[in-house]
Amino acid sequence: MKKYKNNLVFKPTLLFLFLFFSVAIKSEAADEKDTKDRNNAEEGTHKNFSGSSGIQLWNANCGRCHNRPAPNKYSDGQWEIIVHHMRTRANLTGKEASAIGEFLKSAN
Amino acid sequence: MKYYFFNRCLKLKISRFWVSLICVSLANLVPAITYAETSSKSEYVTRKEYDQLKKELVEIKASLKKEEKQSLDKNDKKIESVPTKELNDSQSKPDSILNRISNLESHAEESKFLDSHMLLAGSASAGYINAENQGSSFTSKFSPIFLWNINDRLLFEGEVELELSDSDTETKLEYAQILYSLNDNLTIGAGKFLSPLNVFVERYEPAWINKLPDTPLAVYDGILPESELGVQARGGVPVLEDMKVLYALYVSNGPSLNVDSDSAGSLNFDNFNDVNNNKAIGGRIGFLLFSNLEVGYGLEESKTNSADGELTGLNAFLQSADCDYSLESSDISGRFNIRGQYAWTEVGDAIYSLPDSGSALEFNNNRNGGYLQISYRPTKIEDLKNWELVSRIDHIKTPTNSPESLDENRYALGVDYWLDSRTLVKAAYDFDDQKNNPSSNILLFQLATGF
């Protein structure tokens, strides 16, 4: 009787705990991804195909020849023109130019 | 007496429990019943109350009507006393406001369009130069850049350079080209463009980017072209995780050959009306490693003629090697940069008949030269972060027997103070060492800005 009673309590409890932690762990992973995506969007860390983010590309390419003006020096439209002009000068790929442009517009 | 009832119940064999239950129930029910009776009684009014309410309602209605009539009369009087013009104006005000809003919206749309399509950029500088044996002078230069973003793939860019020289204003079209981005790795350009062979002119020439008030030897002076008139294809291709290949290929008018007494044997790259049907073909390939080290090599080959047609079909072969390394780290408390370029040209053998003297010159027409520049800016040291130290070594060598015979070394030391990210004050001293001509040390100051 005692064993029967224990089975009635123990197994459902175990099942419940298992389900609870499964859901909790899955939610935590989803939150972390969302946080990363949100941070990426906020920082403009848009990835290009070689894995470098917009801010990394901006640091690496735009600082090689000259000082980098602050992102808030120009409007979104002006940054589009400047990045298009600099793409030729610095031999950037289209994806790199796009990633840099998105970062600058998100940070201005 | 009370026990009687219980005893009777006992006799009737009704348990105490049920009796208690019934009593409790009755005790709860009585107030409920009483409340219900009270509630049902309040649903109705007496005849007297009804008549009173009706009378009050009629009086309120009459009073409201009176007020309304008086209010209407007042408004009519007001309108009659207002001049017609003012009455019409007040009625048209909402229309004028709507018109103004509509105009403002149109202006905003136009501004937004221009903001994302057209930009005026460029650089300007004012300087002072004091050269030994040559005197001193103030200088000024203005180079506006016009950018027109036709769409995501098409761009027009053009730069005009306005510089004071002697008693004139020199106006020069630095470049004017239309660029079309074919895909991620290829952009086509046509027009006048900065020579991909000449990395200094293409990247470092603007006054706010060049860290010294003057430009290096050899990257001008007839050894390397500043610009090309033709078509180019260029782009970048990542090949490894930490390496990218940068390329540029072009076909252009190519240089013509100078044959005048002052510059015979040198190449004239401002060949805007091509002196022959032969076109120059050239290009540059660069390797960008770890995002901060670039090495490149470029060449150009053409057949060159003199403008007067006396000398034709001479082979002109240009080569250039360049490098650039930057490091910004807290270990060095700032930013360090080293960059350089070396160029050498070979022009076919020819005999030059000098018109002024009538003599004939023949020489091995090979020229070479270059520069190496080092700079350091302590960006991590708060009190010194706006200062930058610069040093450059220049060299140029041209044929000994040529009219422009040069064998010159120059050592420049400079210090910059950055007022903001694109404005700086430069001070430099050039130690000049020439073998074939008098040396001329130079003191230079310059205020430069980019916009």
Side-chain angles (χ1 to χ4, degrees):
Chain A
M1 190 66 167
K2 193 174 180 182
K3 188 178 175 181
Y4 175 71
K5 275 189 181 174
N6 283 343
N7 282 340
L8 283 177
V9 172
F10 175 73
K11 283 184 181 175
T13 303
L14 189 64
L15 181 63
F16 170 75
L17 286 172
F18 172 78
L19 287 171
F20 173 76
F21 281 114
S22 298
V23 171
I25 289 167
K26 187 179 173 187
S27 298
E28 184 66 22
D31 285 342
E32 188 179 359
K33 183 180 181 304
D34 286 343
T35 303
K36 269 189 185 169
D37 287 343
R38 193 165 51 249
N39 288 341
N40 287 347
E42 286 169 356
E43 295 173 3
T45 53
H46 303 273
K47 303 285 186 180
N48 74 342
F49 70 99
S50 68
S52 297
S53 62
I55 190 170
Q56 289 172 326
L57 291 166
W58 179 65
N59 280 332
N61 289 280
C62 305
R64 287 176 53 229
C65 298
H66 56 70
N67 293 335
R68 289 154 292 176
N72 62 2
K73 285 284 187 185
Y74 297 99
S75 66
D76 286 2
Q78 289 171 329
W79 275 127
E80 283 180 16
I81 303 172
I82 292 168
V83 170
H84 199 167
H85 168 65
M86 284 289 116
R87 176 183 168 178
T88 310
R89 200 70 65 217
N91 281 346
L92 299 172
T93 66
K95 287 187 175 67
E96 288 172 338
S98 178
I100 292 171
E102 289 305 310
F103 159 68
L104 289 167
K105 286 190 284 187
S106 69
N108 75 354
Chain B
M1 185 62 179
K2 59 182 176 183
Y3 292 111
Y4 173 78
F5 179 70
F6 276 111
N7 290 332
R8 287 288 293 175
C9 289
L10 279 173
K11 282 187 179 174
L12 292 173
K13 295 182 183 174
I14 300 172
S15 70
R16 281 188 189 176
F17 168 75
W18 289 110
V19 170
S20 301
L21 184 64
I22 292 166
C23 290
V24 168
S25 302
L26 286 172
N28 283 326
L29 280 171
V30 165
I33 294 166
T34 308
Y35 175 73
E37 283 181 352
T38 309
S39 298
S40 64
K41 273 191 185 171
S42 65
E43 284 176 10
Y44 300 100
V45 295
T46 63
R47 180 73 195 188
K48 189 179 172 186
E49 286 173 339
Y50 172 76
D51 290 336
Q52 177 69 26
L53 284 169
K54 190 176 174 184
K55 186 180 169 189
E56 286 174 5
L57 182 63
V58 168
E59 286 172 3
I60 290 170
K61 278 185 179 177
S63 171
L64 275 174
K65 268 191 182 171
K66 193 177 169 186
E67 288 287 329
E68 194 178 357
K69 191 173 180 305
Q70 283 175 353
S71 173
L72 280 171
D73 289 340
K74 272 188 195 169
N75 279 344
D76 286 340
K77 281 182 186 170
K78 250 192 200 173
I79 288 170
E80 283 169 8
S81 67
V82 170
T84 309
K85 183 178 177 300
E86 202 176 310
L87 188 65
N88 289 339
D89 286 349
S90 69
Q91 286 172 344
S92 69
K93 262 185 186 171
D95 293 335
S96 67
I97 291 172
L98 285 173
N99 281 340
R100 282 191 65 193
I101 291 172
S102 177
N103 286 339
L104 285 169
E105 282 175 342
S106 297
H107 285 309
E109 281 303 311
E110 284 173 15
S111 296
K112 192 178 168 187
F113 175 81
L114 289 173
D115 188 56
S116 62
H117 283 75
M118 192 172 79
L119 183 67
L120 176 64
S123 63
S125 66
Y128 171 80
I129 177 170
N130 187 340
E132 276 183 353
N133 309 321
Q134 293 177 43
S136 64
S137 179
F138 289 99
T139 60
S140 182
K141 190 169 162 183
F142 171 49
S143 302
I145 298 173
F146 302 89
L147 301 174
W148 179 258
N149 207 21
I150 302 165
N151 57 43
D152 289 346
R153 290 178 179 265
L154 271 176
L155 173 79
F156 167 78
E157 57 176 28
E159 181 181 352
V160 175
E161 189 178 278
L162 302 154
E163 187 172 10
L164 300 174
S165 176
D166 296 326
S167 56
D168 286 326
T169 302
E170 284 185 1
T171 306
K172 186 177 160 191
L173 181 64
E174 284 283 290
Y175 58 86
Q177 67 171 334
I178 298 176
L179 294 155
Y180 180 73
S181 299
L182 205 66
N183 59 38
D184 210 48
N185 309 107
L186 174 60
T187 297
I188 310 289
K192 189 169 193 260
F193 48 91
L194 299 176
S195 177
L197 215 58
N198 201 330
V199 175
F200 180 86
V201 169
E202 197 182 50
R203 299 183 190 178
Y204 312 127
E205 190 194 44
W208 66 279
I209 299 177
N210 183 11
K211 297 181 192 295
L212 287 167
D214 57 0
T215 51
L217 300 171
V219 295
Y220 300 87
D221 303 310
I223 293 185
L224 280 180
E226 293 176 48
S227 60
E228 309 279 353
L229 181 59
V231 294
Q232 65 170 331
R234 58 190 300 147
V237 182
V239 291
L240 295 171
E241 190 179 337
D242 290 323
M243 187 166 90
K244 192 165 92 170
V245 173
L246 316 175
Y247 72 93
L249 302 165
Y250 60 88
V251 177
S252 68
N253 278 355
S256 63
L257 188 64
N258 289 323
V259 292
D260 58 282
S261 300
D262 296 329
S263 56
S266 63
L267 293 171
N268 174 24
F269 293 105
D270 290 338
N271 183 21
F272 304 140
N273 284 323
D274 202 353
V275 295
N276 57 21
N277 285 330
N278 190 269
K279 298 291 174 277
I281 298 174
R284 175 187 177 270
I285 187 164
F287 298 91
L288 181 60
L289 306 164
F290 312 109
S291 301
N292 60 352
L293 170 63
E294 183 180 351
V295 291
Y297 170 77
L299 58 85
E300 177 185 304
E301 171 137 30
S302 65
K303 291 268 190 263
T304 182
N305 288 4
S306 60
D308 59 7
E310 287 294 318
L311 295 172
T312 60
L314 293 177
N315 201 56
F317 184 55
L318 287 62
Q319 297 180 84
S320 167
D322 60 86
C323 71
D324 181 272
Y325 174 72
S326 296
L327 175 67
E328 182 159 12
S329 166
S330 53
D331 293 339
I332 58 171
S333 300
R335 189 187 309 146
F336 169 81
N337 174 265
I338 180 168
R339 62 174 61 133
Q341 185 169 5
Y342 204 85
W344 51 106
T345 64
E346 298 167 27
V347 178
D349 296 335
I351 298 172
Y352 299 92
S353 302
L354 301 182
D356 292 350
S357 62
S359 58
L361 283 180
E362 188 176 6
F363 44 84
N364 194 355
N365 201 354
N366 296 336
R367 301 159 192 261
N368 60 78
Y371 76 95
L372 185 69
Q373 178 181 290
I374 298 174
S375 65
Y376 171 70
R377 182 175 174 186
T379 55
K380 308 291 183 193
I381 302 175
E382 187 61 32
D383 293 335
L384 299 175
K385 63 181 180 180
N386 293 329
W387 295 92
E388 186 163 13
L389 296 172
V390 190
S391 177
R392 189 177 69 205
I393 301 172
D394 299 305
H395 170 72
I396 184 170
K397 189 170 190 326
T398 60
T400 307
N401 294 337
S402 68
E404 290 179 317
S405 175
L406 291 170
D407 189 351
E408 181 178 1
N409 296 317
R410 197 170 67 183
Y411 311 91
L413 281 176
V415 60
D416 300 339
Y417 183 79
W418 291 90
L419 299 170
D420 66 26
S421 64
R422 308 182 92 185
T423 305
L424 72 160
V425 181
K426 311 175 202 174
Y429 196 84
D430 289 351
F431 298 92
D432 189 42
D433 177 23
Q434 297 195 51
K435 289 191 171 58
N436 300 332
N437 299 297
S439 298
S440 179
N441 295 340
I442 308 173
L443 173 66
L444 305 113
F445 296 98
Q446 190 183 69
L447 172 63
T449 188
F451 50 89

